[in-house]
Amino acid sequence: MYDFNFHRPKSLRKAAAILAENEEAKLIAGGQTLLPTMKQRLAAPSDVVDLSAISGLSGIELKGRKLQIGAMTKHYDVATSQVVREALPALADLAGMIGDPAVRNRGTIGGSVANNDPAADYPAACLALNATIVTNKRRMTADEFFTGLFDTALEDGEIITKVIFPLPKRAAYAKFRNPASRYAMAGVFVSKRGREVRVAVTGAGSDGVFRLTQAEEMLSKRFSEKALKDLTVDPDGLVGDIHGSAEYRANLVAVMTRRAVAAA
């Protein structure tokens, strides 16, 4: 690990100011991605800005037909929240599948969304549920926010404060995990809200999380596992690595989509 300056501001304004003053500064929430990469000397920020002392960044609240989750809320808290389990059980199920108990007790929803790891779970939920990502500067839809592999629309000095999920009529998440890392080799989140059906895939795309439009079209006509009997996924643009070829992941995506719909 390289030397760095550590900051623990008590306000969003101060945190944003530190980021603005130091081009190589990085935010740390749960630290489940940043710390390992720093230990391996794959990241060398000049400054690390800890968000844990800023009040008001964690918590879960149901407001009408929308579920609001603070950016510093831990995966464990989402998984075990009675509010989430009653209002949006698919999201609680997803949070309970993340990593292992140590990761779930440290990692945060805001950190996961901001990092946009191509195999992370929350980006699929955000995209499938048409979530709104709120920062200290603006609001963005998930379609606007996720822009590519480890890439988002966040600008310099912009910090996620909460994520807002509209409540769907039906939703479910199905995940095929890498047995070692617990990351998704293919994870599919499906939702139906009114007439709109959204299907998002994580773990399989070479450019990160994406919507599976052909499945959305099939399910818009009839939201049923039977509607997907002819679903095939093009392996072009999918990941191929030592854990599975692009063709293997294409089959996984189709299978996980059917399982998610059946569960929903």
Side-chain angles (χ1 to χ4, degrees), residues 186-237:
V188 179
F189 200 110
V190 301
S191 77
K192 185 177 190 300
R193 183 168 176 259
R195 294 186 176 182
E196 183 182 31
V197 174
R198 294 171 70 100
V199 180
V201 179
T202 188
S206 58
D207 200 31
V209 66
F210 66 95
R211 287 174 62 182
L212 191 62
T213 54
Q214 63 264 48
E216 292 177 348
E217 292 169 1
M218 291 176 172
L219 293 169
S220 293
K221 298 174 183 176
R222 180 187 179 193
F223 195 88
S224 165
E225 186 182 4
K226 292 181 179 179
L228 299 173
K229 63 183 179 65
D230 295 324
L231 175 66
T232 58
V233 178
D234 187 348
D236 186 37

Side-chain angles (χ1 to χ4, degrees), residues 100-117:
D100 54 29
V103 170
R104 290 193 291 274
N105 277 279
R106 289 298 305 169
T108 65
I109 185 171
S112 176
V113 171
N115 190 48
N116 192 19
D117 188 293

Side-chain angles (χ1 to χ4, degrees), residues 14-262:
K14 181 60 176 176
I18 296 171
L19 289 179
E21 294 167 2
N22 302 276
E23 287 187 6
E24 300 300 319
K26 293 287 186 182
L27 295 174
I28 187 167
Q32 298 306 290
T33 297
L34 182 61
L35 286 180
T37 56
M38 289 175 65
K39 287 179 179 179
Q40 297 175 61
R41 295 198 168 193
L42 297 174
S46 62
D47 298 75
V48 173
V49 185
D50 183 3
L51 299 176
S52 63
I54 301 175
S55 62
L57 287 183
S58 63
I60 298 167
E61 186 177 7
L62 184 63
K63 287 193 172 182
R65 294 293 298 168
K66 293 183 179 180
L67 182 68
Q68 299 190 11
I69 302 180
M72 289 293 287
T73 306
K74 293 177 174 61
H75 309 323
Y76 173 82
D77 295 325
V78 176
T80 59
S81 165
Q82 192 62 31
V83 173
V84 181
R85 297 220 65 88
E86 291 179 0
L88 189 45
L91 189 66
D93 292 341
L94 176 149
M97 296 183 201
I98 296 174
D100 54 29
V103 170
R104 290 193 291 274
N105 277 279
R106 289 298 305 169
T108 65
I109 185 171
S112 176
V113 171
N115 190 48
N116 192 19
D117 188 293
D121 300 287
Y122 278 123
C126 290
L127 202 56
L129 292 166
N130 197 22
T132 298
I133 290 84
V134 182
T135 76
N136 58 324
K137 295 182 178 181
R138 56 180 169 153
R139 294 175 174 233
M140 290 171 278
T141 65
D143 287 323
E144 298 168 326
F145 183 83
F146 299 109
T147 56
L149 198 68
F150 289 107
D151 197 21
T152 70
L154 286 172
E155 299 174 349
D156 293 341
E158 197 165 15
I159 303 169
I160 297 176
T161 59
K162 60 185 172 183
V163 183
I164 302 174
F165 297 94
L167 299 186
K169 182 179 180 180
R170 299 181 183 183
Y173 182 59
K175 174 181 177 179
F176 189 90
R177 313 178 200 191
N178 180 304
S181 69
R182 308 291 179 90
Y183 273 113
M185 289 183 63
V188 179
F189 200 110
V190 301
S191 77
K192 185 177 190 300
R193 183 168 176 259
R195 294 186 176 182
E196 183 182 31
V197 174
R198 294 171 70 100
V199 180
V201 179
T202 188
S206 58
D207 200 31
V209 66
F210 66 95
R211 287 174 62 182
L212 191 62
T213 54
Q214 63 264 48
E216 292 177 348
E217 292 169 1
M218 291 176 172
L219 293 169
S220 293
K221 298 174 183 176
R222 180 187 179 193
F223 195 88
S224 165
E225 186 182 4
K226 292 181 179 179
L228 299 173
K229 63 183 179 65
D230 295 324
L231 175 66
T232 58
V233 178
D234 187 348
D236 186 37
L238 299 188
V239 175
D241 56 23
I242 60 172
H243 304 295
S245 66
E247 290 76 15
Y248 179 70
R249 279 187 169 84
N251 183 66
L252 278 181
V253 170
V255 172
M256 292 302 111
T257 304
R258 295 187 185 98
R259 290 184 183 180
V261 171

